[in-house]
Amino acid sequence: MSFTVAIDGPAASGKGTIAKALAAHYGFAHLDTGLLYRAVGRRMLNGERPAEAALALTAEDLEGEDLRGPDVAQAASKVAALPGVRAALVDFQRAFARRAGGAVLDGRDIGTVICPEAQVKLYVTASDDVRAGRRLAELLARGLDVTREGVLEDIRARDARDSARATAPLRPAEDAVLLDTTTLSIAEALADAIAAVDAARA
Ligand code: CDP
């Protein structure tokens, strides 16, 4: 039987960390759907047409440290506004969500478009400052050459673009549990997320 946890939220809100930890806790599979858009964005930066690139993705496209950086992130949020790109990625994400044994997917439109029937929907947020600080630490630890100002600019620009687009804009599903992690530790945020999943499984 499938069981799907859909996690959405703005850039660097902590949804990936929560998604990964939830998946480990329950033995579910995890898909970071942002990587799909980042991979298409990287192909666009290399000269490919986004919709064609989205149809041609392979597992190798999801590798490489540069995939995590702000340049690729900006490209990702540009290609993510194209209906043809989004359409090309729907089937793969839905099949992943329905796999036996449970799945956690994190992104922007998982609870609203990809898996509106998900058993659990979380919408994870945090203040701009806290998100920028967390992402800065993450990117510096990965060895990327970034500044706090640059990171803040990246997440604000992407949030604005992701929220304003006509196709699958960033917004909480009506039945999503809101999780503001601004003042929460990872352990506290995870405990809240586990409580939401346990409530749905009871
Ligand atoms: O990790 P972070 O929250 O910074 O970004 P991400 O989840 O890797 O997503 C990168 C970009 O892909 C976002 O800014 C969105 O434009 C796009 N995206 C999307 O449109 N839909 C998704 N389900 C996931 C990502």
Side-chain angles (χ1 to χ4, degrees):
M1 242 199 43
S2 69
F3 185 95
T4 309
V5 181
I7 307 184
D8 294 302
S13 55
K15 56 192 186 306
T17 303
I18 292 171
K20 202 184 293 176
L22 270 186
H25 182 82
Y26 292 101
F28 294 169
H30 170 224
L31 178 64
D32 172 355
T33 65
L35 286 184
L36 304 175
Y37 294 92
R38 286 172 183 261
V40 176
R42 184 168 60 185
R43 279 184 178 241
M44 179 186 73
L45 293 175
N46 289 333
E48 287 184 49
R49 287 180 207 201
E52 287 168 22
L55 288 167
L57 287 189
T58 67
E60 277 172 24
D61 277 290
L62 306 183
E63 287 164 15
E65 281 303 309
D66 64 321
L67 205 55
R68 306 280 180 175
D71 295 344
V72 172
Q74 282 296 322
S77 113
K78 287 176 189 161
V79 300
L82 304 173
V85 168
R86 304 203 72 84
L89 300 175
V90 166
D91 288 351
F92 173 74
Q93 294 175 84
R94 288 198 177 139
F96 191 98
R98 293 196 189 115
R99 64 203 278 150
V104 184
L105 288 82
D106 71 275
R108 301 292 186 290
D109 62 339
I110 309 303
T112 50
V113 174
I114 300 297
C115 303
E117 74 296 341
Q119 283 82 354
V120 183
K121 298 178 188 173
L122 301 177
Y123 191 82
V124 182
T125 60
S127 73
D128 290 11
D129 255 5
V130 164
R131 291 190 286 132
R134 288 180 188 157
R135 181 51 53 90
L136 178 69
E138 181 191 328
L139 295 180
L140 290 177
R142 287 177 177 275
L144 289 154
D145 183 20
V146 288
T147 62
R148 188 182 177 87
E149 294 68 39
V151 170
L152 188 59
E153 206 176 298
D154 167 55
I155 63 179
R156 283 186 173 153
R158 284 195 289 128
D159 288 352
R161 200 182 289 118
D162 294 347
S163 303
R165 69 184 175 219
T167 309
L170 168 67
R171 62 175 177 80
E174 273 175 22
D175 52 349
V177 174
L178 303 183
L179 188 51
D180 183 338
T181 69
T182 305
T183 61
L184 299 184
S185 66
I186 292 176
E188 289 168 333
L190 180 60
D192 287 354
I194 287 174
V197 176
D198 282 349
R201 276 157 60 99

